[in-house]
Amino acid sequence: DTAVSQTPKYLVTQMGNDKSIKCEQNLGHDTMYWYKQDSKKFLKIMFSYNNKELIINETVPNRFSPKSPDKAHLNLHINSLELGDSAVYFCASSQVARSTGGANVLTFGAGSRLTVL
Amino acid sequence: AQSVAQPEDQVNVAEGNPLTVKCTYSVSGNPYLFWYVQYPNRGLQFLLKYITGDNLVKGSYGFEAEFNKSQTSFHLKKPSALVSDSALYFCAVRGVDSSYKLIFGSGTRLLVRP
């Protein structure tokens, strides 16, 4: 049973198109994230939702819009795709551990590799 | 600002030998530190974390990490490397402005040769 699942796993598209990546977690976690991993494997947080509320919104172009219909789902929509958007996008989830001051452990999905031509 | 540095892009070690993957951190306040591993074409997997307490933290797959406050380091170690340990390893620190944000290092590729 996959804990954090992302679809699609691979996405190849043309510049200027609009695409979406979906994420679902069945762990009962209250927080979900989108991370971007570039070609040099550097990981950077993009967004985070806690109980459907946006709590982290890093410096990301407005073309990227996350949506969380419920706390088990977090989708990422990208408008007007550019070459530089090519990357692997990881969804993750966590349950903030109040007893340990919030040192929450993230569970990651397998990633969605986006290639923009 | 919180940050972590992984000074080595790649670490090579022979199977059966001990391994160390280095990480140094910069935080204001008490550090919450993590190690994750990424196998090819997979998401990151949690290995271990340090919050408080013993400086030697034990984690999954026989890995451990030593927290050293004076050297601001949190090196990942394993007494005897396996070929299957070959992967990309990330050190991370919790952001001080948000308990939800993990800031990752640049990653270190571990190659264990038979």
Side-chain angles (χ1 to χ4, degrees), chain A residues 34-47:
Chain A
W34 279 111
Y35 275 83
K36 179 181 180 181
Q37 187 174 46
D38 63 22
S39 58
K40 295 186 177 180
K41 305 297 184 185
F42 184 70
L43 268 168
K44 190 173 190 311
I45 189 166
M46 300 173 70
F47 304 103

Side-chain angles (χ1 to χ4, degrees), chain A residues 9 31 33 35 37 41 43 45 50 55-56 58 90 96 98 100-106 108-110, chain B residues 32 34 36 38 41-46 49 51 88 90 94 98-106 109:
Chain A
K9 191 171 174 67
T31 307
Y33 311 78
Y35 275 83
Q37 187 174 46
K41 305 297 184 185
L43 268 168
I45 189 166
N50 174 256
I55 55 170
I56 296 174
E58 293 293 285
F90 285 101
V96 175
R98 307 278 180 206
T100 55
N104 46 312
V105 172
L106 272 61
F108 282 81
Chain B
Y32 291 176
F34 303 78
Y36 284 78
Q38 184 179 22
N41 299 316
R42 303 282 295 276
L44 279 72
Q45 296 177 32
F46 169 73
K49 67 180 177 182
I51 301 171
L88 190 56
F90 289 93
R94 191 196 78 172
S98 168
S99 63
Y100 301 93
K101 185 191 295 187
L102 276 189
I103 298 165
F104 286 88
S106 54
R109 189 167 300 282

Side-chain angles (χ1 to χ4, degrees), chain B residues 7-56:
Chain B
E8 303 155 315
D9 288 337
Q10 183 161 315
V11 169
N12 298 310
V13 65
E15 188 173 30
N17 283 359
L19 69 88
T20 299
V21 182
K22 295 180 181 177
C23 172
T24 58
Y25 65 89
S26 173
V27 304
S28 53
N30 295 324
Y32 291 176
L33 297 159
F34 303 78
W35 276 102
Y36 284 78
V37 59
Q38 184 179 22
Y39 296 101
N41 299 316
R42 303 282 295 276
L44 279 72
Q45 296 177 32
F46 169 73
L47 279 179
L48 50 80
K49 67 180 177 182
Y50 172 83
I51 301 171
T52 186
D54 289 341
N55 289 340
L56 188 63

Side-chain angles (χ1 to χ4, degrees), chain B residues 11-21 39 60-64 76-87 89 109-114:
Chain B
V11 169
N12 298 310
V13 65
E15 188 173 30
N17 283 359
L19 69 88
T20 299
V21 182
Y39 296 101
S60 307
Y61 313 123
F63 282 93
E64 56 191 26
L76 182 70
K77 300 183 179 187
K78 188 173 181 182
S80 178
L82 299 172
V83 172
S84 57
D85 292 330
S86 298
Y89 290 81
R109 189 167 300 282
L110 173 66
L111 183 60
V112 182
R113 58 185 186 276

